[in-house]
Amino acid sequence: MKLSERDRAMLDGAEGPAAQEAMEALVQLGNAYDAADMVDIGYAHVHAGMALYKGDVELIERIAGQGARMAVPVSTNIANADMGDWQGTGAPEALGLLQKRAEAAHRTMGSGTAFTCTPYWAGHWPTWNMHIASIESGVTVFANSVLGARSNRDGFFATYAGITGRYPRFGLHLDENRRPTHRVTVTARPQGTADFTALGYAIGAKLANGVPLIMGLTRRPSLDELDALGVGMATSGGVAMFVVPGVTPPYAADHDDPGLPGVTVAEADVQGVFDDFCTGSESGFDLVHLGCPHASYEEVRHYAALFAGRRVAEGLEVWLTTNRVVRQMAREAGLLAPLLAAGVRVVSDTCPISCHFACTCSPDPALGVEPPSLRTILTDSAKQAHYIRDMIQCPTLFTTSERVVDSAVTGRFVPRARPNE
Amino acid sequence: MSEAWQVRPVVRGRAEGAALVSARPLSFLGDLDIRSGRVVGRSSDLYGEVVTGRVLVLPETRGSAGAWRFLYQLKVHGTHPAALILRDMPDPSVTQGAFLAEVPVVTASEPGFWQSVGPGQWLSLDAEAGVVRRD
């Protein structure tokens, strides 16, 4: 792999041990994928350091302690506790305090500490042709498909990219891999974010990998719907980029490629995703979750309108998860008041599948983490439902946002309307 | 008689162990219990098996970009596989986890390998030279 003078200097330790370790790792990665050289990145979305995983916060502290400083703007991914109010979610004190140690280490390194799976709603908005690194597959697919930035589905090495400002040129950093591989005809008529997570989930399940060219949408989806579409695909498959003509840079509205292998996604496929994630009891749900991925300001506004003047049913816990930036804007706009008055808990930094509810983690026993016993979780996101099944290992119910709110208020599950209703 | 196949090194190193062979993609996040190394994902044909110390032979990996964290956590808990042999190049997240966990990874393209590899066979993998041997 061809390295720049600065890359070589970093390898020789000229920018300290953290940059040296980071560059060594990135060179290994580049060699594994036959990268010709490295690119300058403009932004990185990095691992939070998760308090529920043994040694994981210490991993971040070690790098910060070696003198690592971020060379580009950096945001932090979702964490294992709401660092402003872990008590409110029932997390043990020791877990909250351990998680806050990661926050301190990130601040030392100069990272923006949004602790969110939707850093774009917190203002991290990379633009067309900017190379970036991202640990969160939802960020990767939004950046590639909506913003026109270039990102692979990275793991911890996003941190190394942030420290060096460099990344090997392979995968979706190359033009040749950003062309559609399949032509997906959507005959379903999705409305709202829950539908779009299900549509994305159905597409990801059919394709597994590749870049779908999405045809047949009768209108331009909203930003929230595009976000939902991407996270759905990234959950059921390894899809890291989609192309909607007229939306995805640089594909014009009349772009088409009839020669690609064809796939059709019909209403029955979308409804099938809802049906498959309705495994729980229709009157036995005890936790209601909204905000997967972390809600945008527009979504919080929508939820606030849906809950205004209503009250969550007795015995139900309702979480709306978002990031700190959106929560602050919502507070100042008077949108938190109707939610809190209705009995909704507005949580930042984490979500049900990322917090101490998950039983696939391995926390230090000294933290005293005991996942609560949950009967059924009701959600408006196919991504959340998928990981509730796999990580909390609890039955789910899945319907549209409006009907999740109706269900939360009445205590009775209201399924998604079938098209003939 | 031992046999050998040329493979492409992805994460360098050397390892050996009894093969654990799957015909289906595996997700490190969701399909594996990090404390025991046991396959808990019901969509996997390895359900109930333990990956610890085995040479894990898979067509491909699938699923979350959180894969790296689970592969690395297997190492933290000493429950990691000895090595990975894949047919297709893994997601960068899997590769990054294998680097952190120091688990050698290769991709094998020779059809002969996939036709004859079976569970329990002793495989030695040299991901420096790019060779897999079966005793």
Side-chain angles (χ1 to χ4, degrees):
Chain A
M1 186 168 36
K2 188 165 159 279
L3 298 177
S4 71
E5 241 174 75
R6 181 169 163 256
D7 295 339
R8 291 187 186 286
M10 280 192 273
L11 274 181
D12 292 340
E15 296 188 25
Q20 185 175 28
E21 175 188 323
M23 186 48 72
E24 281 170 359
L26 292 166
V27 168
Q28 283 184 309
L29 181 67
N31 285 333
Y33 289 87
D34 294 332
D37 61 354
M38 298 239 185
V39 294
D40 284 329
I41 64 159
Y43 162 64
H45 182 62
V46 306
H47 183 49
M50 295 184 126
L52 285 169
Y53 294 89
K54 189 176 162 189
D56 206 62
V57 169
E58 290 83 349
L59 187 63
I60 306 298
E61 289 181 322
R62 181 180 64 77
I63 291 173
Q66 282 180 332
R69 296 296 178 269
M70 293 301 171
V72 294
V74 166
S75 55
T76 49
N77 199 27
I78 197 158
N80 289 152
D82 183 335
M83 283 168 257
D85 179 21
W86 58 81
Q87 299 90 345
T89 64
E93 185 81 357
L95 180 73
L97 293 174
L98 176 59
Q99 190 62 72
K100 278 193 77 72
R101 280 171 43 190
E103 182 185 50
H106 282 296
R107 286 183 176 158
T108 301
M109 291 189 279
S111 302
T113 44
F115 292 106
T116 182
C117 51
T118 56
Y120 28 93
W121 304 144
H124 295 275
W125 197 266
T127 51
W128 185 31
N129 280 333
M130 181 186 279
H131 295 279
I132 71 168
S134 163
I135 193 159
E136 163 57 54
S137 59
V139 173
T140 294
V141 70
F142 190 81
N144 283 322
S145 317
V146 181
L147 305 179
R150 294 166 181 250
S151 176
N152 287 332
R153 285 160 57 103
D154 292 303
F156 186 74
F157 283 29
T159 302
Y160 294 146
I163 293 168
T164 58
R166 302 282 279 170
Y167 188 87
R169 193 192 303 267
F170 75 98
L172 290 164
H173 294 273
L174 293 166
D175 285 339
E176 67 211 53
N177 297 321
R178 300 178 63 84
R179 296 189 190 116
T181 59
H182 298 75
R183 187 175 186 275
V184 177
T185 304
V186 178
T187 60
R189 291 289 166 262
Q191 279 296 338
T193 57
D195 278 12
F196 272 87
T197 64
L199 173 63
Y201 196 90
I203 294 171
K206 286 188 187 223
L207 258 58
N209 283 296
V211 180
L213 173 66
I214 298 178
M215 308 296 288
L217 297 175
T218 52
R219 62 180 171 84
R220 187 187 178 97
S222 71
L223 281 171
D224 289 317
E225 289 171 334
L226 290 166
D227 184 29
L229 179 66
V231 301
M233 278 181 222
T235 300
S236 58
V239 176
M241 176 174 177
F242 62 80
V243 172
V244 175
V247 171
T248 304
Y251 293 91
D254 60 357
H255 180 87
D256 195 0
D257 194 343
L260 294 174
V263 173
T264 298
V265 179
E267 166 56 28
D269 297 307
V270 173
Q271 182 60 46
V273 176
F274 282 89
D275 291 343
D276 288 349
F277 284 123
C278 285
T279 56
S281 150
E282 301 205 345
S283 57
F285 55 90
D286 40 13
L287 175 64
V288 177
H289 177 247
L290 301 164
C292 172
H294 273 174
S296 69
Y297 179 81
E298 291 306 314
E299 288 173 309
V300 173
R301 206 157 69 90
H302 184 51
Y303 292 130
L306 292 173
F307 273 109
R310 301 166 90 184
R311 180 79 207 161
V312 169
E314 195 68 32
L316 275 185
E317 179 87 358
V318 180
W319 287 19
L320 167 53
T321 54
T322 183
N323 66 53
R324 298 171 178 191
V325 177
V326 168
R327 183 166 64 178
Q328 184 63 19
M329 282 197 296
R331 180 179 287 124
E332 290 178 10
L335 297 177
L336 289 199
L339 290 163
L340 299 176
V344 176
R345 193 179 296 284
V346 181
V347 174
S348 72
D349 308 347
T350 191
C351 76
I353 56 172
S354 300
C355 77
H356 61 289
F357 294 179
C359 57
T360 49
C361 311
S362 59
D364 183 337
L367 295 177
V369 173
E370 193 63 53
S373 163
L374 294 159
R375 286 181 296 165
T376 291
I377 303 177
L378 165 60
T379 179
D380 65 349
S381 163
K383 176 178 184 174
Q384 187 76 198
H386 173 102
Y387 287 115
I388 290 168
R389 183 192 68 193
D390 287 355
M391 298 182 72
I392 305 183
Q393 294 166 4
C394 155
T396 54
L397 293 169
F398 176 31
T399 184
T400 61
S401 305
E402 295 75 12
R403 289 178 175 218
V404 166
V405 173
D406 289 344
S407 307
V409 168
T410 61
R412 288 287 309 180
F413 177 58
V414 187
R416 176 178 184 257
R418 287 166 196 269
N420 57 353
E421 282 174 34
Chain B
M1 194 185 87
S2 83
E3 285 181 88
W5 295 275
Q6 295 296 312
V7 293
R8 174 193 164 139
V10 179
V11 175
R12 289 173 186 276
R14 290 184 183 83
E16 58 183 316
L20 188 59
V21 182
S22 171
R24 308 188 66 168
L26 187 80
S27 169
F28 283 93
L29 194 164
D31 284 349
L32 286 168
D33 176 56
I34 49 190
R35 276 172 285 205
S36 64
R38 191 173 296 279
V39 178
V40 294
R42 290 188 178 271
S43 68
S44 173
D45 52 8
L46 299 179
Y47 180 77
E49 299 270 8
V50 173
V51 301
T52 308
R54 308 292 293 272
V55 173
L56 193 50
V57 182
L58 303 169
E60 58 185 324
T61 57
R62 67 173 178 91
S64 167
W68 75 271
R69 191 169 77 243
F70 280 71
L71 193 43
Y72 179 61
Q73 281 286 314
L74 290 169
K75 171 76 171 194
V76 169
H77 290 84
T79 55
H80 54 290
L84 299 181
I85 301 178
L86 305 166
R87 193 189 56 214
D88 298 342
M89 274 300 278
D91 209 73
S93 175
V94 173
T95 306
Q96 293 172 17
F99 276 126
L100 287 180
E102 298 171 316
V103 170
V105 180
V106 298
T107 56
S109 54
E110 288 188 44
F113 171 76
W114 293 95
Q115 281 154 15
S116 69
V117 70
Q121 294 172 356
W122 195 262
L123 299 178
S124 347
L125 179 142
D126 182 343
E128 301 288 339
V131 180
V132 170
R133 281 195 176 77
R134 181 173 63 196
D135 291 334

